[in-house]
Amino acid sequence: MFSLGLTGLLVRRNLIFVLMFLEVMLNAAGLAFVVAGARWHQVDGQVMFLFILAMAAAEVSVGLAMLLEIYHRFQSLDVDELSEMRG
């Protein structure tokens, strides 16, 4: 699942899809923590998953705000067209 997210992150050029595949990667990492915690009968994996969920929620809110600002400024969400942002 993580490799699927990484592949989609590298292949897609639309910022919405980039954020979506970043979420897939975070969920895969969280799932790995839960599975490892269940394997060793520890709750640490579930605690780490809660931290990952909080980080994913923050990433979504900041990412969508940036996405809206980029769309208003450039009228596009294509990653290649945003190279004009370099200052």
Side-chain angles (χ1 to χ4, degrees), residues 13-38:
R13 292 291 170 221
N14 191 337
L15 280 177
I16 294 175
F17 286 112
V18 168
L19 287 175
M20 188 171 62
F21 284 119
L22 202 63
E23 286 292 320
V24 169
M25 290 172 60
L26 285 172
N27 285 331
L31 182 63
F33 277 116
V34 169
V35 168

Side-chain angles (χ1 to χ4, degrees), residues 7-73:
T7 303
L9 188 72
L10 295 174
V11 170
R12 290 294 187 160
R13 292 291 170 221
N14 191 337
L15 280 177
I16 294 175
F17 286 112
V18 168
L19 287 175
M20 188 171 62
F21 284 119
L22 202 63
E23 286 292 320
V24 169
M25 290 172 60
L26 285 172
N27 285 331
L31 182 63
F33 277 116
V34 169
V35 168
R39 168 70 174 94
W40 288 295
H41 305 291
Q42 299 288 325
V43 294
D44 298 340
Q46 294 175 0
V47 171
M48 286 302 296
F49 184 69
L50 288 176
F51 285 130
I52 289 173
L53 280 179
M55 185 176 60
E59 180 257 332
V60 164
S61 63
V62 171
L64 287 178
M66 288 174 52
L67 189 102
L68 285 173
E69 180 63 30
I70 288 170
Y71 183 74
H72 285 297
R73 184 172 295 178

Side-chain angles (χ1 to χ4, degrees), residues 15 70 74 76-86:
L15 280 177
I70 288 170
F74 295 102
S76 175
L77 293 176
D78 191 17
V79 175
D80 292 329
E81 291 180 18
L82 297 179
S83 63
E84 298 174 14
M85 290 181 64
R86 294 184 186 148

